[in-house]
Amino acid sequence: MYNVHSVSGADASAVHGGAGVDPNLPPHRQEEAKQLLSRCLNLGISALRSSLPAIDVVELVVRELESDPLFNSGRGSALTEKGTAEMEASIMDGPRRRCGAVSGLTTVKNPVSLARLVMDNSPHSYLAFSGAEDFARQQGVELVDNGYFITEENLGMLKLAKEANTIFDYRIPAAGLETCSVGAGAVESGLQMNGLPISIYAPETVGCVVVDSQGRCAAATSTGGLMNKKSGRIGDSPLIGAGTYACDICAVSCTGEGEAIIRGTLARDVAAVMEYKGLGLQEGVDYVIKERLDEGLAGMIAVSRNGEVGYGFNTTGMFRGCATEDGFMEVGIWE
């Protein structure tokens, strides 16, 4: 399955809440996701109208996504095999390719803002685990107990993942009708993934890309990672060039199979084919989704310095939306 779309506007933004959606997701959950995406798009466009630069807008929007437990970032993050939340995020400012990234966070309320501080207030690009937590305390960011990030729903999914002895990565393949077993009992499911019935639903990574009225592009991505992951696992979201990238041409945020995104340097490749092959934004997204994922499942959102917005995915659905300052807004899940 392959899906793309593009729009164009002066100031523009796009958001995503993860690629790979349960085709049987209840309508009320679909509506909740659309409302959250719409709220974040309105927040971003309002900030752009107030002349905030793109880098400030992506941080603002991703903070909002991290604060809502609906998606897998900040509050509502997926849990490690130990039952704790370990979060990661990155942010990148296109004009000078400045960036900041963090991994292994357990107490930082808004990981994307710590990534921003790494970019602005440290000589480094990436801090992780105890070093990142120490830096957070030095910077005076808001800290919370790890229990703040944990939801009853995710505790239930972790239990099922442990019973199935698998890592639950949330992605929905385009095909694969099977019977799967969880624990001692067999569960009939229209789709299965990594040994779990797809009715055990959870969304994935969040991200935002923005181009402002001066043509400055920025991107930010944040996630809790995989359900039942090993403590210390790092995915694509904090890796510059893989899950997040911005330059003077475009900005990209990815979601999906982290290991495949890392291998394909997905976000950077969109900028590369635009620069070296002369492709347009949507052509670049199209090319990368088709040619760089091998058998991986993923999606991405992107903006160009000309105000174009594009996205693509080869999964069953992707929570996404885009908006322009002139009033256009679109939010979707399916094709």
Side-chain angles (χ1 to χ4, degrees), residues 44 52 54-55 73 105 132-133 146 188 259 262 270 287 315 330 332:
L52 261 65
I55 190 66
S73 66
L105 301 182
E133 295 276 342
N146 195 253
E188 293 292 334
E259 281 67 21
I262 292 168
V270 174
Y287 180 87
T315 54
E330 179 180 83

Side-chain angles (χ1 to χ4, degrees), residues 47-331:
L48 286 169
R49 287 173 177 158
S50 300
S51 299
L52 261 65
I55 190 66
D56 289 348
V57 179
V58 294
E59 180 187 2
L60 180 71
V61 170
V62 172
R63 279 179 63 93
E64 184 75 9
L65 288 163
E66 289 174 340
S67 299
D68 193 298
L70 185 62
F71 292 135
N72 173 20
S73 66
R75 185 161 176 254
S77 283
L79 305 177
T80 69
E81 61 186 359
K82 298 178 180 179
T84 59
E86 280 185 11
M87 299 158 291
E88 49 195 17
S90 63
I91 192 168
M92 191 163 188
D93 193 15
R96 290 189 291 148
R97 287 194 290 272
R98 298 186 309 126
C99 61
V102 289
S103 284
L105 301 182
T106 59
T107 66
V108 176
K109 187 174 184 181
N110 290 108
V112 71
S113 290
L114 188 63
R116 174 74 184 272
L117 290 169
V118 171
M119 180 179 77
D120 288 342
N121 294 353
S122 87
H124 308 301
S125 294
Y126 197 163
L127 293 176
F129 298 94
S130 61
E133 295 276 342
D134 289 345
F135 180 71
R137 286 188 285 272
Q138 293 165 9
Q139 294 295 307
V141 304
E142 186 174 1
L143 303 178
V144 294
D145 184 81
N146 195 253
Y148 163 83
F149 305 106
I150 299 173
T151 65
E152 287 298 319
E153 185 175 22
N154 281 349
L155 285 172
M157 284 190 290
L158 177 63
K159 181 175 183 290
L160 287 167
K162 285 182 174 296
E163 289 173 354
N165 192 29
T166 190
I167 294 170
F168 185 23
D169 57 6
Y170 312 149
R171 294 180 307 279
I172 317 302
L177 303 180
E178 298 181 36
T179 299
C180 63
S181 61
V182 176
V187 179
E188 293 292 334
S189 174
L191 291 171
Q192 105 171 50
M193 183 164 51
N194 287 349
L196 288 178
I198 293 309
S199 58
I200 305 165
Y201 165 76
E204 210 195 349
T205 302
V206 304
C208 179
V209 291
V210 168
V211 57
D212 61 27
S213 59
Q214 297 186 39
R216 296 173 297 197
C217 298
T221 312
S222 180
T223 189
L226 307 180
M227 186 65 73
N228 199 29
K229 67 182 179 181
K230 287 190 176 298
S231 181
R233 183 262 183 183
I234 294 173
D236 66 286
S237 297
L239 300 184
I240 300 302
T244 303
Y245 191 74
C247 59
D248 60 345
I249 298 174
C250 67
V252 183
S253 175
C254 297
T255 172
E257 186 179 347
E259 281 67 21
I261 294 170
I262 292 168
R263 292 194 301 270
T265 59
L266 232 59
R268 165 59 186 158
D269 246 30
V270 174
V273 296
M274 291 178 70
E275 183 175 358
Y276 303 138
K277 292 174 68 74
L279 300 185
L281 179 73
Q282 189 59 59
E283 290 178 305
V285 170
D286 183 338
Y287 180 87
V288 170
I289 291 288
K290 283 186 173 180
E291 303 296 336
R292 290 292 180 263
L293 275 169
D294 301 319
E295 296 181 357
L297 298 170
M300 63 173 62
I301 54 173
V303 293
S304 77
R305 63 185 174 193
N306 300 322
E308 301 160 308
V309 181
Y311 61 76
F313 55 96
N314 66 353
T315 54
T316 301
M318 179 173 77
F319 295 103
R320 82 276 179 184
C322 59
T324 60
E325 193 183 6
D326 60 11
F328 175 86
M329 181 181 292
E330 179 180 83
V331 173

